[in-house]
Amino acid sequence: MAEDTERRPQVALFVTCLVDLFRPTVGFAAVRLLEAAGCDVTVPKAQTCCGQPAFNSGDRKNTQAIARQVIATFEPYDYVVAPSGSCGGMLSHHYPSLFADDPAWQPRAEAFAEKAHELVSFLTDVRGMTHVDAQFAETVTYHDSCAGLRELGIRDQPRRLLDSVEGLDRVELEDANVCCGFGGTFCVKYPDISNAMVERKTERIIESGAQTLLAGDLGCLMNMAGRLQREGRSVSVRHVAEVLSGLTDTPPIGEARE
């Protein structure tokens, strides 16, 4: 029998700041899913922020400095994958524009952007994953993050994989495509508007009857989880990668260990 010598894709995981600081389980879940998709995964130690906060604040100089460091760190790998639509969008859509007037870095930024992907989109659209080996016996609903949906076209991909999870009952969230009010620096600049938006979002979540809320961006999830807890709601909140990978032993977002 001939030996299969097909080279496995070399994937570098861009962990993201929020995952690193608040929810490392999402990183472990991403690694498990990527390995299940036939990839060799590395987590480069030199990575930091994608530069999105500086970019959204108009600080082009520091964003460029961050982007150069990220590009150089991840250049050796076939793909760069982030468990976040907003960070994935920053890497794949905005890096090239940062260096439009820099002939030395523009080609490198474009090459980097072409191999940068959001996690679930990479699993389905690039690696062709159609099902996962996981169990989760709860009713769940899914919120579409603004960046993932509008920048990257991520909508059906997580729903298809969720429907393959054994025991999971998925119900559609009314206004699933409406912003939760987080918006990165938006919630800091306009807290009253942000709070009104997340209040309407939690109303829709409760109306869905779901036991667990899922999404692909930790910023959105933390925003909605905080509001649900302040309202005294019993809805659990998790990153979609945790459910798809079967890593659901840790408490939901914002909840303490018993």
Side-chain angles (χ1 to χ4, degrees), residues 13 44 50 79 81 84 91 101 127 133 138 142 159 181 192 217 219-220 232:
L13 180 66
C50 69
Y79 297 101
V81 176
S84 162
L91 300 175
D101 301 323
R127 297 301 295 165
D133 183 17
E138 290 190 14
Y142 188 87
R159 289 168 171 81
D192 292 340
D217 274 84
C220 302

Side-chain angles (χ1 to χ4, degrees), residues 9-16 19 26-27 29-31 33-35 37 39-44 47 70 74 77-85 87-89 91-92 112-124 126-127 152 154 239 241:
Q10 303 299 300
V11 174
L13 180 66
F14 189 89
V15 177
T16 82
V19 169
V26 176
V31 171
L33 288 166
L34 290 167
E35 289 180 341
C39 303
D40 289 336
V41 185
T42 301
V43 183
Q47 64 179 291
V70 172
F74 286 84
Y77 303 94
D78 298 324
Y79 297 101
V80 181
V81 176
S84 162
C87 295
L91 300 175
S92 64
F112 173 89
E114 288 179 0
K115 65 181 183 180
H117 301 270
E118 183 273 342
L119 173 65
V120 178
S121 176
F122 177 78
L123 295 172
T124 57
V126 179
R127 297 301 295 165
L152 305 180
I154 300 169
H239 192 285

Side-chain angles (χ1 to χ4, degrees), residues 18-19 84 86 180 182-184 216-225 239:
L18 293 183
V19 169
S84 162
S86 60
C180 73
F182 176 65
D217 274 84
L218 193 53
C220 302
L221 289 164
M222 292 172 64
N223 184 43
M224 293 182 289
H239 192 285

Side-chain angles (χ1 to χ4, degrees), residues 56-223:
N56 290 344
S57 300
D59 186 353
R60 186 181 182 88
K61 181 179 179 180
N62 279 315
T63 305
Q64 287 176 326
I66 294 168
R68 290 189 186 98
Q69 190 270 340
V70 172
I71 292 169
T73 298
F74 286 84
E75 272 181 324
Y77 303 94
D78 298 324
Y79 297 101
V80 181
V81 176
S84 162
S86 60
C87 295
M90 182 67 192
L91 300 175
S92 64
H93 282 49
H94 298 294
Y95 269 24
S97 66
L98 288 171
F99 302 104
D101 301 323
D102 188 336
W105 278 92
Q106 174 70 8
R108 296 175 69 177
E110 289 184 349
F112 173 89
E114 288 179 0
K115 65 181 183 180
H117 301 270
E118 183 273 342
L119 173 65
V120 178
S121 176
F122 177 78
L123 295 172
T124 57
D125 300 337
V126 179
R127 297 301 295 165
M129 180 179 282
T130 58
H131 68 279
V132 294
D133 183 17
Q135 298 179 348
F136 194 67
E138 290 190 14
T139 301
V140 310
T141 195
Y142 188 87
H143 163 75
D144 297 298
S145 74
C146 294
L149 178 65
R150 294 171 177 83
E151 276 193 330
L152 305 180
I154 300 169
R155 186 191 181 282
D156 295 336
Q157 299 94 321
R159 289 168 171 81
R160 287 199 301 268
L161 291 185
L162 284 170
D163 288 346
S164 73
V165 176
E166 184 178 346
L168 183 146
D169 179 24
R170 181 176 62 83
V171 295
E172 196 61 38
L173 178 65
E174 185 178 350
D175 297 333
N177 63 341
V178 175
C179 181
C180 73
F182 176 65
T185 55
F186 175 86
C187 65
V188 178
K189 294 178 180 177
Y190 308 104
D192 292 340
I193 299 174
S194 174
N195 191 57
M197 292 171 72
V198 74
E199 182 178 3
R200 286 196 292 271
K201 176 62 68 172
T202 57
E203 289 174 359
R204 296 292 181 263
I205 295 167
I206 298 305
E207 290 169 0
S208 75
Q211 298 167 277
T212 298
L213 169 69
L214 304 175
D217 274 84
L218 193 53
C220 302
L221 289 164
M222 292 172 64
N223 184 43

